[in-house]
Amino acid sequence: MYTVPKLIDFSPAALDSAVRELLSALDQESAAVGSENDWKAFRDRWMARKNGILTQLNDLWLKAAPGPNKRDVGQRVNELKAKVEQAVDATLARIQSGVSSGKLAAERLDITLPGIRRPLGAEHPVIKTMNEMIGVFRNLGYSVEEGPEIETDFYNFEALNFPPNHPARDTQDTLFIAGQESKPLRDRLLLRTHTSPVQIRTMQKMKPPVRVVCPGKVHRNDALDATHSPIFHQIEGLAVDSNITFCDLKGTLDHAMKAMFGSSVKTRFYPSFFPFTEPSADVQISCIFCDGKGVRDGAPCRNCKASGWIELLGCGMVDPNVYGFVDYDATKVSGFAFGMGVERIAILKYGVDDIQLFFQGDVRFLEQFG
């Protein structure tokens, strides 16, 4: 590494030798520069105000020169300053142009090459189906409400009229948070088994009229198979006002099913049981694969098991007992509620034969819905 010598002899011959040595070092160090970081270090080494080589020339050569030699030394120092500045600028230009050694050639950027494209994603088929369903009810004047996935027993069961010995409270269905035994039953935490708790929370903070849909993820201790998953999604709806009847419920769901599956789809209601509705019903739609005929391509339709109908969701009029938990007057208001699985509808819409495909993250499957 070059260091500025302290001159004793200031004769022209001695000065010529010292200048040649400095310029040779300048050329060698310039050629070794291979990146912008190297160039910055090179520039500072030669041109820094405090301890750069040019500054050292002033101190060790010009100031140390005797009076008769100062003019000659000063002229040579000025010429060297110009050459150093020129060499520093030329080195930077060489790096930026990418023309030089093999190291720089490897760092060259060909701006004519196409850019790197980041592939854009698309809505997951479950989310896409959920948003379509939400859109149907938004058009009917419903708002959207969401709630926590970790719920208390009170919101998930008690306020929905589930008695303490109801089978849905069993650990075979419900995933409870560990270490809750010391708490009162209604305060124990669990993973919600449906989005119905959102309906209770909504009624607690809103007075009638209420029209909401409650989408979200739910959890049950179900074994994995083609039609069951421990994690799935639901959309539930609630309408509470004065003089709401079962006819309003039927008309709402019939319209929603036609909006989702086509105007030719028929709906049918038959008695069922849910703790939080009375009367309750299960809803079937005419099979969209065989047009409700039960036969497709000359053979019994497998999708509807040759019945012509597919069971899709549950519904009913809100049980008056539920109103007692949210301080509604059951003598003045009435309402209906319904709930459906999003994956079940997505399976019908897209012809998927295994619910697990929605959760395995296989891009080959998901990119079909982009």
Side-chain angles (χ1 to χ4, degrees), residues 140 333 354:
L140 291 173
V333 297
D354 188 347

Side-chain angles (χ1 to χ4, degrees), residues 110-341:
D110 186 349
I111 61 173
T112 65
L113 291 173
I116 298 174
R117 284 191 173 184
R118 187 180 298 277
L120 297 178
E123 279 187 319
H124 189 281
V126 171
I127 303 302
K128 185 176 183 180
T129 302
M130 182 183 293
N131 288 337
E132 290 176 1
M133 296 164 65
I134 290 172
V136 170
F137 290 101
R138 276 189 182 275
N139 292 337
L140 291 173
Y142 285 68
S143 59
V144 180
E145 292 287 336
E146 296 181 327
E149 290 181 36
I150 298 179
E151 272 291 7
T152 63
D153 186 281
F154 172 79
Y155 284 107
N156 198 78
F157 292 127
E158 183 179 341
L160 290 165
N161 203 35
F162 283 80
N165 59 349
H166 193 281
R169 290 174 177 263
D170 196 309
T171 55
Q172 299 303 312
D173 294 322
T174 306
L175 297 170
F176 290 90
I177 307 298
Q180 304 288 303
E181 293 79 7
S182 62
K183 293 183 179 180
L185 179 60
R186 60 163 40 193
D187 294 333
R188 295 180 186 178
L189 299 178
L190 49 86
L191 298 182
R192 67 181 181 187
T193 58
H194 43 194
T195 58
S196 301
V198 183
Q199 299 179 20
I200 300 298
R201 292 180 177 273
T202 300
M203 287 189 285
Q204 283 183 334
K205 67 181 181 181
M206 295 173 59
K207 295 300 181 184
V210 173
R211 286 176 177 81
V212 295
V213 286
C214 312
K217 187 186 299 180
V218 299
H219 307 260
R220 293 182 189 174
N221 191 17
D222 287 335
L224 294 172
D225 60 32
T227 58
H228 294 85
S229 170
I231 300 175
F232 56 102
H233 298 76
Q234 279 188 341
I235 285 187
E236 298 195 10
L238 172 71
V240 179
D241 203 345
S242 58
N243 300 320
I244 287 185
T245 67
F246 201 91
C247 292
D248 298 314
L249 170 61
K250 293 183 68 174
T252 298
L253 293 181
D254 185 72
H255 171 83
M257 295 304 102
K258 284 177 165 58
M260 288 294 297
F261 297 104
S263 59
S264 63
V265 165
K266 298 180 178 63
T267 56
R268 131 174 134 172
F269 294 69
Y270 58 97
S272 185
F273 169 78
F274 303 106
F276 40 87
T277 54
E278 179 61 37
S280 303
D282 283 328
V283 182
Q284 294 181 334
I285 63 169
S286 55
C287 181
I288 59 176
F289 300 98
C290 65
D291 295 326
K293 300 175 182 176
V295 178
R296 183 173 56 169
D297 299 329
C301 178
R302 293 191 303 171
N303 297 91
C304 64
K305 299 179 181 178
S307 68
W309 297 92
I310 297 176
E311 182 179 332
L312 204 59
L313 65 128
C315 65
M317 302 300 292
V318 178
D319 192 304
N321 289 340
V322 173
Y323 294 135
F325 292 98
V326 295
D327 198 25
Y328 278 19
D329 189 343
T331 64
K332 296 181 179 179
V333 297
S334 59
F336 61 75
F338 57 85
M340 61 193 88

